[in-house]
Amino acid sequence: MLAFLGAVICIIASVPLAASPARALPGGADNASAASASAAAAAAAAAASPGPQRSLSALHGAGGSAGPPALPGAPAASAHPLPPAPLFSRFLCTPLAAACPSGTEQGDAAAGEREELLLLQSTAEQLRQTALQQEARIRADQDTIRELTGKLGRCESGLPRGLQDAGPRRDAMADGPWDSPALILELEDAVRALRDRLDRIEQQELPARVNFSAAPAPAPAVPTALHSKMDELEGQLLAKVLTLEKERMALSHSSHRQRQEVEKELDALQDRVAELEHGSSAYSPPDAFKISIPIRNNYMYARVRKALPELYAFTVCMWLRSRSGGNGQGTPFSYSVPGQANEIVLLEAGHDPMELLINDKVAQLPLSLKDNGWHHICISWTTRDGLWSAYQDGELQGSGENLAAWHPIKPHGILILGQEQDALGGRFDATQAFVGDIAQFNLWDHALTPAQVLGIANCTGPLLGNVLPWEDKLVEAFGGAKKATFDVCKGRAKA
């Protein structure tokens, strides 16, 4: 509809206005000549310019501009000319096939083309910058891969070389963890797996080379994902290196302890070999030894390495030979726990009778060791009503009750032979130290029957403690206390 209206307006605007008819001049001859001249001029104009005249005749019709025709017989001119007749124009408008573009529409079209050109130029610049950024990121990732590959190569080539340079070790640490083939294979497999993963990522994830003359990639998603994977792999590699360093430090500490233990075992073996070379060919069981404390002091003692569990009853038996000279037997053993130094103590101070302390509660025992001979001592106790019994050489010497009734023996304490503890594992008092020999110290978690006690004392029914047996590896001597081979049943007869 708008195109049609524009075409009509265009046609109307392009048609020139019709000339006014010639006014009659005064004078008949002059008027006639003037009219004739006017008609001749109009005809000449029509012949000279056919375009506008055809348009005008087409719009106005034949003779539209000459006025009405003269009647026959009428004079050509009159002294009194008639007023000009009104002109009537007929406009025949037909729609054109193409609309005439206006100046405003042409300007808008040119502005739109300029904006589109600017947008395309901006888009091309952004794509070029994105391509440059992607190229820089890919180069950075390649540098990172090369750096990690170098580190991994140094780690892979350095660790086995360190292990290989150590060579076969013929000392006591020949069977240490660093010489284990399983550990070496595990480390080599871990390093090889990390290197394979790095090679696969470098070959598969990274593009070979971006052709920046072609259309660039719309989004740099691959380098971002690759960067995150590289960070993750680098973190795993650092964690593995830290773990290896920690294991190396732990092995260095444990190797020192193992060396000490091996040296101690070697000393024991050398002592055993020396005894065998000096003529004793009889087999010595693990419990055939004794602890000897020759003088009264506050630094000679033996410590039991095994921790005790929580006990609601116990029986402790041992062989004792006192060398105190009648000045009190001292403390054959003491057991302390955190918060209670006198959890279990067997003590004879000065000329007082022997006492059993449980949780600082005291019971006097009718036992005597003043003849400097070997005696078998057994003491049993139960938390129910605090019942206790004391045996010497297989015979019941006394019993009682209400000794720390309903108090369980606390676990994870320290058991010392030969000293009384005023603090957990220490603060010994020389006046309360034991002087003499201790052997076959065994502990059970229940009360033994009188027949069992008698069998142990007569060497007819030897029995090791189910909580703490008397074994060489569980007892360690300190401060000059001596551990010597001794069979109590044979040695007692010789003594």
Side-chain angles (χ1 to χ4, degrees):
M1 185 65 183
L2 293 176
F4 178 78
L5 293 177
V8 172
I9 294 172
C10 178
I11 293 172
I12 294 173
S14 64
V15 175
L17 295 177
S20 300
R23 295 184 179 270
L25 296 176
D30 295 334
N31 290 339
S33 61
S36 299
S38 297
S49 58
Q53 194 65 26
R54 286 198 192 104
S55 298
L56 187 60
S57 62
L59 292 175
H60 295 275
S65 61
L71 294 177
S78 175
H80 302 280
L82 297 176
L87 298 177
F88 297 93
S89 297
R90 289 183 300 170
F91 296 95
L92 301 179
C93 297
T94 56
L96 300 178
C100 297
S102 63
T104 304
E105 293 177 354
Q106 293 177 355
D108 293 341
E113 291 178 357
R114 286 194 299 272
E115 291 178 358
E116 184 177 359
L117 179 60
L118 292 176
L119 180 61
L120 290 176
Q121 291 178 352
S122 176
T123 304
E125 180 65 22
Q126 291 178 358
L127 291 177
R128 190 177 69 84
Q129 294 297 330
T130 302
L132 293 176
Q133 293 176 2
Q134 185 176 4
E135 181 184 13
R137 182 171 297 176
I138 290 174
R139 290 179 179 175
D141 291 338
Q142 290 176 346
D143 294 339
T144 304
I145 289 176
R146 295 191 189 97
E147 182 180 357
L148 289 178
T149 304
K151 292 182 180 179
L152 189 60
R154 290 195 297 273
C155 179
E156 183 180 8
S157 60
L159 183 59
R161 186 181 300 113
L163 294 175
Q164 187 177 4
D165 292 341
R169 295 155 59 185
R170 303 182 180 274
D171 58 355
M173 291 304 295
D175 297 330
W178 280 106
D179 294 330
S180 175
L183 179 58
I184 295 175
L185 291 177
E186 180 181 358
L187 292 177
E188 290 179 353
D189 292 340
V191 173
R192 191 178 299 109
L194 286 176
R195 186 163 187 174
D196 292 340
R197 291 178 64 185
L198 287 174
D199 292 338
R200 287 196 302 270
I201 289 174
E202 185 177 10
Q203 294 175 3
Q204 297 177 4
E205 296 293 341
L206 279 179
R209 176 67 65 180
V210 178
N211 187 8
F212 292 100
S213 62
V222 175
T224 302
L226 178 61
H227 198 68
S228 62
K229 287 184 179 180
M230 293 299 301
D231 292 340
E232 182 180 358
L233 287 177
E234 185 176 2
Q236 292 178 1
L237 183 60
L238 292 178
K240 187 66 176 178
V241 172
L242 291 177
T243 303
L244 291 176
E245 291 294 334
K246 291 181 181 179
E247 290 179 356
R248 183 178 296 176
M249 294 179 63
L251 287 174
S252 64
H253 291 300
S254 63
S255 63
H256 181 67
R257 292 195 301 268
Q258 290 178 358
R259 186 182 298 276
Q260 291 180 348
E261 293 178 359
V262 169
E263 290 177 354
K264 189 176 296 182
E265 293 293 336
L266 289 176
D267 293 339
L269 289 176
Q270 290 177 357
D271 295 340
R272 180 61 181 163
V273 169
E275 290 179 2
L276 292 176
E277 289 177 350
H278 286 82
S280 177
S281 61
Y283 169 73
S284 179
D287 60 343
F289 71 97
K290 66 178 180 179
I291 297 295
S292 298
I293 302 177
I295 59 176
R296 192 185 299 273
N297 53 64
N298 62 349
Y299 53 85
M300 291 185 181
Y301 64 97
R303 177 172 176 170
V304 178
R305 296 180 179 178
K306 187 176 181 180
L308 300 184
E310 187 176 27
L311 299 173
Y312 297 92
F314 69 83
T315 300
V316 57
C317 295
M318 70 201 82
W319 285 92
L320 296 176
R321 181 170 64 175
S322 175
R323 298 183 182 275
S324 63
N327 295 325
Q329 310 304 319
T331 306
F333 79 93
S334 63
Y335 176 69
S336 65
V337 296
Q340 178 55 271
N342 297 325
E343 188 70 5
I344 306 175
V345 180
L346 182 63
L347 171 66
E348 182 179 326
H351 299 284
D352 296 334
M354 187 170 289
E355 297 176 342
L356 176 64
L357 282 73
I358 297 180
N359 194 30
D360 274 334
K361 306 300 187 295
V362 182
Q364 294 184 349
L365 308 180
L367 304 177
S368 177
L369 305 175
K370 300 184 184 300
D371 58 355
N372 294 334
W374 283 101
H375 294 279
H376 185 259
I377 302 298
C378 271
I379 301 169
S380 64
W381 172 87
T382 177
T383 185
R384 183 176 181 180
D385 297 328
L387 298 176
W388 61 270
S389 300
Y391 298 86
Q392 182 171 341
D393 297 329
E395 300 293 334
L396 180 63
Q397 300 296 320
S399 61
E401 59 182 2
N402 293 327
L403 177 60
W406 311 108
H407 169 75
I409 302 301
K410 297 177 182 178
H412 308 301
I414 298 177
L415 181 60
I416 299 294
L417 303 180
Q419 296 286 350
E420 194 273 333
Q421 306 174 62
D422 289 334
L424 182 64
R427 288 182 57 186
F428 303 141
D429 187 356
T431 61
Q432 298 176 340
F434 176 78
V435 181
D437 302 318
I438 304 174
Q440 291 295 326
F441 187 93
N442 290 278
L443 180 65
W444 295 263
D445 59 359
H446 57 276
L448 297 181
T449 64
Q452 290 175 325
V453 174
L454 182 60
I456 297 173
N458 293 336
C459 296
T460 58
L463 186 63
L464 293 177
N466 64 340
V467 174
L468 179 62
W470 181 252
E471 293 182 0
D472 184 37
K473 64 181 181 180
L474 297 180
V475 181
E476 187 175 5
F478 293 92
K482 297 180 180 180
K483 184 190 293 187
T485 302
F486 180 73
D487 190 338
V488 65
C489 293
K490 297 179 180 180
R492 185 168 59 93
K494 294 179 181 180

